[in-house]
Amino acid sequence: AAVWQTAQATLSTLPGIATMAMNLAKKAIEDIDVAGKRVIMRVDFNVPMDKAGNITNNQRIVGALPTIQYALDKGAKSVVLM
């Protein structure tokens, strides 16, 4: 506990460091104005496939579709999937 208090006291004397460390909250796409902007979206489309190359579980792809569609509906200039 004493080490944490010392670290907090040190951070509070450095301008910008304490606020930077506390701003780790993630935003949802609904929190961002995407109209007219290029949107880069990290998606995990690593899906299981059988020996013939057929997708055996498309849950990840289907799960990403509402977010992609939301960005397009809100006027995103383009949506790049990575």
Coordinates of all heavy atoms in Angstrom, one line a residue:
A1 N 0.8 -1.2 0.0 CA 0.0 0.0 0.0 C 0.9 1.3 0.0 O 0.5 2.2 -0.7 CB -0.9 0.0 1.2
A2 N 2.0 1.2 0.7 CA 2.8 2.4 0.8 C 3.5 2.7 -0.6 O 3.6 3.8 -1.0 CB 3.9 2.2 1.9
V3 N 3.8 1.6 -1.3 CA 4.4 1.8 -2.6 C 3.4 2.4 -3.5 O 3.8 3.3 -4.3 CB 4.9 0.4 -3.2 CG1 5.4 0.6 -4.6 CG2 6.0 -0.1 -2.3
W4 N 2.2 2.0 -3.5 CA 1.1 2.6 -4.4 C 0.9 4.0 -4.0 O 0.8 4.9 -4.9 CB -0.1 1.8 -4.2 CG -1.3 2.4 -5.0 CD1 -2.4 2.9 -4.5 CD2 -1.4 2.5 -6.4 NE1 -3.2 3.4 -5.5 CE2 -2.6 3.1 -6.7 CE3 -0.6 2.1 -7.5 CZ2 -3.0 3.4 -8.0 CZ3 -1.0 2.4 -8.8 CH2 -2.2 3.0 -9.0
Q5 N 0.9 4.4 -2.8 CA 0.7 5.8 -2.4 C 1.9 6.6 -2.9 O 1.7 7.8 -3.3 CB 0.5 5.9 -0.9 CG -0.8 5.3 -0.4 CD -0.9 5.3 1.1 OE1 0.1 5.3 1.8 NE2 -2.1 5.1 1.7
T6 N 3.1 6.1 -2.8 CA 4.2 6.8 -3.3 C 4.2 7.0 -4.8 O 4.4 8.1 -5.3 CB 5.5 6.1 -2.9 OG1 5.6 5.9 -1.5 CG2 6.8 6.8 -3.4
A7 N 3.7 6.0 -5.5 CA 3.6 6.1 -6.9 C 2.5 7.1 -7.3 O 2.7 7.9 -8.2 CB 3.2 4.7 -7.5
Q8 N 1.4 7.1 -6.6 CA 0.3 8.1 -6.8 C 0.8 9.5 -6.6 O 0.6 10.4 -7.4 CB -0.9 7.8 -6.0 CG -1.7 6.7 -6.5 CD -2.9 6.5 -5.6 OE1 -2.8 6.6 -4.4 NE2 -4.1 6.3 -6.2
A9 N 1.6 9.7 -5.5 CA 2.1 11.1 -5.2 C 3.1 11.5 -6.3 O 3.1 12.7 -6.7 CB 2.8 11.0 -3.8
T10 N 3.9 10.6 -6.7 CA 4.9 11.0 -7.8 C 4.2 11.3 -9.1 O 4.5 12.3 -9.7 CB 5.8 9.8 -8.0 OG1 6.5 9.5 -6.8 CG2 6.9 10.1 -9.1
L11 N 3.2 10.5 -9.5 CA 2.4 10.8 -10.7 C 1.7 12.1 -10.6 O 1.6 12.8 -11.6 CB 1.4 9.6 -11.0 CG 2.0 8.3 -11.5 CD1 0.9 7.3 -11.6 CD2 2.7 8.5 -12.8
S12 N 1.2 12.4 -9.4 CA 0.4 13.7 -9.3 C 1.3 14.9 -9.5 O 0.7 16.0 -9.8 CB -0.3 13.7 -8.0 OG 0.6 13.8 -6.9
T13 N 2.6 14.8 -9.4 CA 3.5 15.9 -9.6 C 3.9 16.1 -11.0 O 4.5 17.1 -11.4 CB 4.7 15.8 -8.7 OG1 5.4 14.6 -9.1 CG2 4.4 15.7 -7.2
L14 N 3.6 15.1 -11.9 CA 4.0 15.1 -13.3 C 2.8 15.5 -14.1 O 1.8 14.9 -14.1 CB 4.5 13.8 -13.7 CG 5.7 13.2 -13.0 CD1 6.0 11.8 -13.4 CD2 6.9 14.1 -13.2
P15 N 2.9 16.7 -14.8 CA 1.7 17.1 -15.5 C 1.4 16.2 -16.7 O 2.2 15.7 -17.4 CB 2.2 18.5 -16.1 CG 3.7 18.5 -16.0 CD 4.1 17.5 -14.9
G16 N 0.1 15.9 -16.7 CA -0.5 15.0 -17.8 C -0.4 13.6 -17.5 O -1.1 12.8 -18.1
I17 N 0.5 13.1 -16.7 CA 0.7 11.7 -16.5 C -0.4 11.0 -15.8 O -0.9 10.0 -16.2 CB 2.0 11.4 -15.7 CG1 3.2 11.9 -16.5 CG2 2.2 9.9 -15.4 CD1 3.5 11.2 -17.8
A18 N -0.9 11.7 -14.7 CA -2.0 11.1 -13.9 C -3.3 11.0 -14.7 O -4.0 10.0 -14.7 CB -2.2 11.9 -12.7
T19 N -3.6 12.0 -15.5 CA -4.8 11.9 -16.3 C -4.7 11.0 -17.4 O -5.6 10.3 -17.8 CB -5.2 13.3 -16.9 OG1 -4.1 13.8 -17.6 CG2 -5.6 14.3 -15.8
M20 N -3.5 10.8 -18.0 CA -3.3 9.9 -19.1 C -3.4 8.4 -18.5 O -4.0 7.6 -19.2 CB -1.9 10.0 -19.7 CG -1.6 9.1 -20.8 SD 0.0 9.4 -21.6 CE 1.1 9.0 -20.3
A21 N -2.9 8.2 -17.4 CA -3.0 6.8 -16.8 C -4.5 6.5 -16.4 O -4.8 5.3 -16.4 CB -2.1 6.7 -15.6
M22 N -5.3 7.4 -16.1 CA -6.6 7.2 -15.7 C -7.6 7.1 -16.9 O -8.7 6.7 -16.7 CB -7.1 8.3 -14.8 CG -6.4 8.3 -13.5 SD -6.6 6.8 -12.6 CE -5.6 7.0 -11.2
N23 N -7.2 7.4 -18.1 CA -8.1 7.5 -19.2 C -8.0 6.2 -20.1 O -7.5 6.2 -21.2 CB -7.8 8.7 -20.1 CG -8.9 8.9 -21.2 OD1 -9.9 8.3 -21.1 ND2 -8.6 9.8 -22.1
L24 N -8.3 5.1 -19.5 CA -8.2 3.8 -20.2 C -9.6 3.2 -20.6 O -9.6 2.1 -21.1 CB -7.5 2.8 -19.2 CG -6.1 3.1 -18.8 CD1 -5.5 2.1 -17.9 CD2 -5.2 3.3 -20.0
A25 N -10.6 4.0 -20.4 CA -12.0 3.5 -20.7 C -12.1 3.3 -22.2 O -11.7 4.2 -23.0 CB -13.0 4.4 -20.2
K26 N -12.7 2.2 -22.7 CA -12.9 1.9 -24.1 C -14.2 2.6 -24.5 O -15.2 2.7 -23.7 CB -13.0 0.4 -24.3 CG -11.7 -0.3 -24.1 CD -11.8 -1.7 -24.4 CE -10.5 -2.4 -24.1 NZ -10.7 -3.9 -24.2
K27 N -14.3 3.1 -25.7 CA -15.5 3.7 -26.2 C -16.2 2.7 -27.1 O -15.5 1.9 -27.8 CB -15.2 4.9 -27.0 CG -14.7 6.1 -26.1 CD -14.6 7.3 -27.0 CE -14.2 8.5 -26.1 NZ -14.1 9.7 -26.8
A28 N -17.5 2.7 -27.1 CA -18.3 1.9 -28.1 C -18.4 2.7 -29.4 O -18.3 3.9 -29.4 CB -19.6 1.6 -27.5
I29 N -18.7 2.0 -30.4 CA -18.9 2.7 -31.7 C -20.0 3.8 -31.6 O -19.9 4.8 -32.3 CB -19.1 1.7 -32.9 CG1 -18.9 2.5 -34.2 CG2 -20.4 1.0 -32.8 CD1 -18.7 1.6 -35.4
E30 N -21.0 3.5 -30.8 CA -22.1 4.5 -30.6 C -21.6 5.8 -30.0 O -22.2 6.8 -30.1 CB -23.2 3.9 -29.8 CG -23.9 2.7 -30.4 CD -23.2 1.4 -30.1 OE1 -22.2 1.4 -29.4 OE2 -23.8 0.4 -30.5
D31 N -20.4 5.8 -29.4 CA -19.9 7.0 -28.8 C -19.1 7.9 -29.7 O -18.6 8.9 -29.3 CB -18.9 6.6 -27.6 CG -19.7 5.8 -26.5 OD1 -20.9 6.1 -26.3 OD2 -19.0 5.0 -25.8
I32 N -18.9 7.4 -30.9 CA -18.0 8.1 -31.9 C -18.8 8.5 -33.1 O -19.6 7.8 -33.6 CB -16.9 7.2 -32.3 CG1 -16.1 6.7 -31.1 CG2 -15.9 7.8 -33.3 CD1 -15.1 5.5 -31.3
D33 N -18.6 9.8 -33.6 CA -19.2 10.3 -34.8 C -18.4 9.8 -36.0 O -17.3 10.2 -36.2 CB -19.3 11.8 -34.8 CG -19.9 12.4 -36.0 OD1 -20.6 11.6 -36.8 OD2 -19.7 13.5 -36.3
V34 N -18.9 8.8 -36.7 CA -18.2 8.2 -37.8 C -18.5 8.8 -39.2 O -17.9 8.4 -40.2 CB -18.3 6.7 -37.9 CG1 -17.8 6.0 -36.6 CG2 -19.8 6.3 -38.1
A35 N -19.5 9.7 -39.2 CA -20.0 10.3 -40.4 C -18.8 10.9 -41.2 O -18.1 11.8 -40.7 CB -21.1 11.3 -40.2
G36 N -18.7 10.5 -42.5 CA -17.6 11.0 -43.4 C -16.2 10.6 -43.0 O -15.3 11.1 -43.6
K37 N -16.0 9.7 -42.1 CA -14.7 9.3 -41.7 C -14.4 7.9 -42.2 O -15.3 7.1 -42.4 CB -14.6 9.4 -40.2 CG -14.7 10.8 -39.6 CD -14.7 10.8 -38.1 CE -15.0 12.2 -37.6 NZ -15.2 12.2 -36.2
R38 N -13.1 7.6 -42.3 CA -12.7 6.2 -42.6 C -12.6 5.5 -41.2 O -12.0 6.0 -40.3 CB -11.3 6.2 -43.2 CG -11.3 6.7 -44.6 CD -9.9 6.7 -45.2 NE -9.9 7.4 -46.5 CZ -9.6 8.7 -46.6 NH1 -9.2 9.4 -45.5 NH2 -9.6 9.3 -47.8
V39 N -13.2 4.3 -41.2 CA -13.3 3.6 -39.9 C -12.4 2.3 -40.1 O -12.6 1.6 -41.0 CB -14.7 3.2 -39.6 CG1 -14.7 2.3 -38.3 CG2 -15.6 4.4 -39.4
I40 N -11.4 2.2 -39.2 CA -10.6 1.0 -39.2 C -11.1 0.1 -38.1 O -11.1 0.5 -36.9 CB -9.1 1.3 -39.1 CG1 -8.6 2.1 -40.2 CG2 -8.3 0.0 -39.0 CD1 -7.2 2.6 -40.1
M41 N -11.5 -1.1 -38.4 CA -12.1 -2.0 -37.4 C -11.3 -3.3 -37.3 O -11.1 -3.9 -38.3 CB -13.6 -2.3 -37.9 CG -14.5 -2.8 -36.9 SD -16.2 -3.0 -37.5 CE -16.6 -1.3 -37.8
R42 N -10.9 -3.6 -36.1 CA -10.2 -4.8 -35.9 C -11.2 -5.9 -35.7 O -12.1 -5.8 -34.8 CB -9.3 -4.7 -34.6 CG -8.8 -5.9 -34.0 CD -7.8 -6.7 -35.0 NE -7.2 -7.8 -34.3 CZ -7.6 -9.0 -34.3 NH1 -8.7 -9.4 -34.9 NH2 -7.0 -10.0 -33.7
V43 N -11.2 -6.9 -36.5 CA -12.1 -8.0 -36.4 C -11.3 -9.3 -36.4 O -10.2 -9.4 -37.0 CB -13.1 -8.0 -37.6 CG1 -14.1 -6.9 -37.5 CG2 -12.4 -8.0 -38.9
D44 N -11.9 -10.3 -35.8 CA -11.2 -11.6 -35.7 C -12.1 -12.6 -36.6 O -13.1 -13.1 -36.1 CB -11.1 -12.1 -34.3 CG -10.4 -13.4 -34.2 OD1 -9.9 -14.0 -35.2 OD2 -10.2 -14.0 -33.1
F45 N -11.7 -12.8 -37.8 CA -12.4 -13.7 -38.7 C -11.7 -15.0 -38.8 O -11.9 -15.7 -39.8 CB -12.6 -13.1 -40.1 CG -13.6 -12.0 -40.1 CD1 -13.6 -11.0 -41.1 CD2 -14.6 -11.8 -39.2 CE1 -14.5 -10.0 -41.2 CE2 -15.6 -10.8 -39.2 CZ -15.5 -9.9 -40.2
N46 N -10.9 -15.4 -37.8 CA -10.2 -16.6 -37.8 C -11.3 -17.7 -37.4 O -11.5 -18.0 -36.2 CB -9.1 -16.6 -36.8 CG -8.3 -17.8 -36.8 OD1 -8.4 -18.7 -37.7 ND2 -7.4 -18.0 -35.8
V47 N -11.9 -18.3 -38.4 CA -13.0 -19.2 -38.1 C -12.6 -20.6 -38.4 O -11.7 -20.9 -39.3 CB -14.3 -18.8 -39.0 CG1 -14.8 -17.5 -38.6 CG2 -13.9 -18.8 -40.5
P48 N -13.2 -21.6 -37.8 CA -12.9 -23.0 -38.0 C -13.4 -23.4 -39.4 O -14.5 -23.1 -39.8 CB -13.6 -23.7 -36.9 CG -14.7 -22.8 -36.4 CD -14.2 -21.4 -36.7
M49 N -12.6 -24.3 -40.0 CA -12.9 -24.8 -41.3 C -12.7 -26.3 -41.3 O -11.8 -26.8 -40.6 CB -12.1 -24.1 -42.4 CG -12.3 -22.6 -42.5 SD -11.2 -21.8 -43.5 CE -11.7 -22.3 -45.1
D50 N -13.5 -27.0 -42.2 CA -13.3 -28.4 -42.3 C -12.2 -28.7 -43.4 O -11.6 -27.7 -43.9 CB -14.6 -29.1 -42.6 CG -15.2 -28.7 -44.0 OD1 -14.5 -28.1 -44.8 OD2 -16.4 -29.0 -44.1
K51 N -11.9 -29.9 -43.7 CA -10.8 -30.3 -44.6 C -11.1 -29.8 -46.0 O -10.2 -29.6 -46.8 CB -10.6 -31.8 -44.5 CG -10.0 -32.2 -43.2 CD -9.6 -33.7 -43.2 CE -9.2 -34.1 -41.9 NZ -7.8 -34.1 -41.6
A52 N -12.4 -29.6 -46.3 CA -12.7 -29.2 -47.7 C -12.7 -27.7 -47.8 O -12.9 -27.1 -48.9 CB -14.1 -29.7 -48.0
G53 N -12.4 -27.0 -46.7 CA -12.3 -25.5 -46.7 C -13.6 -24.8 -46.4 O -13.7 -23.6 -46.6
N54 N -14.6 -25.5 -46.0 CA -15.9 -24.9 -45.7 C -15.9 -24.4 -44.2 O -15.4 -25.1 -43.3 CB -17.1 -26.0 -45.8 CG -17.2 -26.5 -47.2 OD1 -17.2 -25.8 -48.1 ND2 -17.2 -27.8 -47.3
I55 N -16.5 -23.2 -44.0 CA -16.6 -22.7 -42.7 C -17.5 -23.5 -41.9 O -18.7 -23.7 -42.3 CB -17.0 -21.2 -42.7 CG1 -16.0 -20.4 -43.4 CG2 -17.3 -20.7 -41.3 CD1 -16.4 -18.9 -43.7
T56 N -17.1 -24.0 -40.7 CA -18.0 -24.8 -39.9 C -18.7 -24.0 -38.8 O -19.6 -24.5 -38.2 CB -17.1 -26.0 -39.2 OG1 -16.1 -25.4 -38.4 CG2 -16.5 -26.9 -40.3
N57 N -18.2 -22.8 -38.5 CA -18.8 -22.0 -37.4 C -18.6 -20.5 -37.8 O -17.5 -20.0 -37.8 CB -18.3 -22.3 -36.1 CG -18.9 -21.5 -35.0 OD1 -19.6 -20.5 -35.2 ND2 -18.8 -22.0 -33.7
N58 N -19.7 -19.9 -38.3 CA -19.6 -18.5 -38.7 C -19.9 -17.4 -37.7 O -20.2 -16.3 -38.0 CB -20.4 -18.3 -40.0 CG -21.9 -18.4 -39.7 OD1 -22.3 -18.8 -38.6 ND2 -22.7 -18.1 -40.7
Q59 N -19.9 -17.8 -36.4 CA -20.4 -17.0 -35.3 C -19.6 -15.7 -35.3 O -20.1 -14.6 -35.1 CB -20.2 -17.7 -34.0 CG -20.7 -16.9 -32.8 CD -20.7 -17.7 -31.5 OE1 -20.3 -18.9 -31.5 NE2 -21.0 -17.1 -30.4
R60 N -18.3 -15.7 -35.5 CA -17.5 -14.5 -35.5 C -17.8 -13.5 -36.6 O -17.8 -12.3 -36.4 CB -16.0 -14.8 -35.5 CG -15.5 -15.5 -34.3 CD -14.0 -15.8 -34.4 NE -13.6 -16.5 -33.2 CZ -12.4 -16.8 -32.9 NH1 -11.4 -16.5 -33.7 NH2 -12.0 -17.4 -31.8
I61 N -18.1 -14.0 -37.8 CA -18.4 -13.2 -38.9 C -19.8 -12.6 -38.7 O -20.0 -11.4 -38.8 CB -18.4 -14.0 -40.2 CG1 -17.0 -14.5 -40.5 CG2 -18.9 -13.2 -41.4 CD1 -16.9 -15.6 -41.6
V62 N -20.8 -13.4 -38.3 CA -22.1 -12.9 -38.0 C -22.1 -11.9 -36.9 O -22.8 -10.9 -36.9 CB -23.1 -14.1 -37.7 CG1 -24.4 -13.6 -37.3 CG2 -23.2 -15.0 -39.0
G63 N -21.3 -12.1 -35.9 CA -21.2 -11.2 -34.7 C -20.7 -9.8 -35.1 O -21.0 -8.8 -34.4
A64 N -19.8 -9.8 -36.1 CA -19.2 -8.5 -36.5 C -20.2 -7.7 -37.4 O -20.0 -6.4 -37.5 CB -17.9 -8.7 -37.2
L65 N -21.1 -8.3 -38.1 CA -21.9 -7.6 -39.0 C -22.7 -6.4 -38.5 O -22.8 -5.4 -39.1 CB -22.9 -8.6 -39.7 CG -22.2 -9.6 -40.7 CD1 -23.2 -10.6 -41.2 CD2 -21.5 -8.9 -41.8
P66 N -23.3 -6.5 -37.3 CA -24.1 -5.4 -36.8 C -23.2 -4.1 -36.6 O -23.6 -3.0 -36.9 CB -24.7 -5.8 -35.5 CG -24.7 -7.3 -35.6 CD -23.6 -7.7 -36.4
T67 N -22.0 -4.3 -36.2 CA -21.1 -3.2 -36.0 C -20.7 -2.6 -37.3 O -20.6 -1.3 -37.4 CB -19.8 -3.6 -35.2 OG1 -20.3 -4.2 -33.9 CG2 -19.0 -2.4 -34.8
I68 N -20.4 -3.4 -38.3 CA -20.0 -2.9 -39.6 C -21.2 -2.2 -40.2 O -21.0 -1.1 -40.7 CB -19.6 -4.1 -40.5 CG1 -18.3 -4.8 -39.9 CG2 -19.4 -3.6 -41.9 CD1 -18.0 -6.1 -40.5
Q69 N -22.4 -2.7 -40.1 CA -23.6 -2.1 -40.7 C -23.9 -0.8 -40.0 O -24.3 0.2 -40.6 CB -24.8 -3.0 -40.5 CG -26.0 -2.6 -41.3 CD -25.7 -2.5 -42.8 OE1 -25.3 -3.4 -43.4 NE2 -26.0 -1.3 -43.4
Y70 N -23.6 -0.7 -38.6 CA -23.9 0.5 -37.9 C -23.0 1.6 -38.4 O -23.4 2.8 -38.7 CB -23.6 0.3 -36.4 CG -23.8 1.5 -35.6 CD1 -25.1 1.8 -35.1 CD2 -22.8 2.4 -35.3 CE1 -25.3 3.0 -34.3 CE2 -22.9 3.5 -34.6 CZ -24.2 3.8 -34.1 OH -24.4 5.0 -33.3
A71 N -21.7 1.3 -38.6 CA -20.8 2.3 -39.2 C -21.2 2.8 -40.5 O -21.2 4.0 -40.8 CB -19.4 1.8 -39.2
L72 N -21.7 1.9 -41.4 CA -22.1 2.3 -42.7 C -23.4 3.1 -42.6 O -23.6 4.1 -43.3 CB -22.3 1.1 -43.6 CG -21.0 0.3 -43.9 CD1 -21.4 -1.0 -44.6 CD2 -20.1 1.1 -44.8
D73 N -24.3 2.7 -41.8 CA -25.6 3.4 -41.6 C -25.4 4.8 -41.1 O -26.2 5.7 -41.4 CB -26.6 2.7 -40.7 CG -27.1 1.4 -41.3 OD1 -26.9 1.2 -42.5 OD2 -27.6 0.5 -40.6
K74 N -24.4 5.0 -40.3 CA -24.1 6.3 -39.7 C -23.2 7.2 -40.6 O -22.7 8.3 -40.2 CB -23.4 6.2 -38.3 CG -24.4 5.6 -37.3 CD -25.6 6.5 -37.1 CE -26.5 5.9 -36.1 NZ -27.7 6.8 -35.8
G75 N -23.0 6.8 -41.8 CA -22.3 7.6 -42.8 C -20.8 7.5 -42.9 O -20.1 8.4 -43.4
A76 N -20.3 6.4 -42.4 CA -18.8 6.2 -42.5 C -18.4 6.3 -44.0 O -19.1 5.7 -44.9 CB -18.4 4.9 -41.9
K77 N -17.3 7.0 -44.3 CA -16.8 7.1 -45.6 C -16.4 5.8 -46.2 O -16.7 5.4 -47.3 CB -15.6 8.1 -45.6 CG -15.1 8.4 -46.9 CD -14.0 9.5 -46.8 CE -13.4 10.0 -48.1 NZ -12.4 11.0 -47.9
S78 N -15.7 5.0 -45.3 CA -15.3 3.6 -45.7 C -15.1 2.8 -44.4 O -14.8 3.4 -43.3 CB -14.1 3.6 -46.5 OG -13.0 4.1 -45.9
V79 N -15.2 1.5 -44.4 CA -14.9 0.7 -43.3 C -13.8 -0.3 -43.7 O -14.0 -1.1 -44.7 CB -16.1 -0.1 -42.8 CG1 -15.8 -1.0 -41.7 CG2 -17.2 0.9 -42.4
V80 N -12.7 -0.2 -43.1 CA -11.5 -1.1 -43.4 C -11.5 -2.2 -42.3 O -11.4 -1.8 -41.1 CB -10.2 -0.3 -43.5 CG1 -9.0 -1.3 -43.7 CG2 -10.3 0.7 -44.5
L81 N -11.6 -3.4 -42.7 CA -11.5 -4.5 -41.7 C -10.1 -5.1 -41.6 O -9.5 -5.4 -42.6 CB -12.5 -5.6 -42.1 CG -13.9 -5.2 -42.3 CD1 -14.8 -6.4 -42.8 CD2 -14.5 -4.6 -41.1
M82 N -9.6 -5.2 -40.4 CA -8.2 -5.7 -40.2 C -8.3 -6.9 -39.3 O -9.1 -7.0 -38.5 CB -7.4 -4.6 -39.6 CG -7.2 -3.4 -40.5 SD -6.2 -2.1 -39.7 CE -4.6 -3.0 -39.6

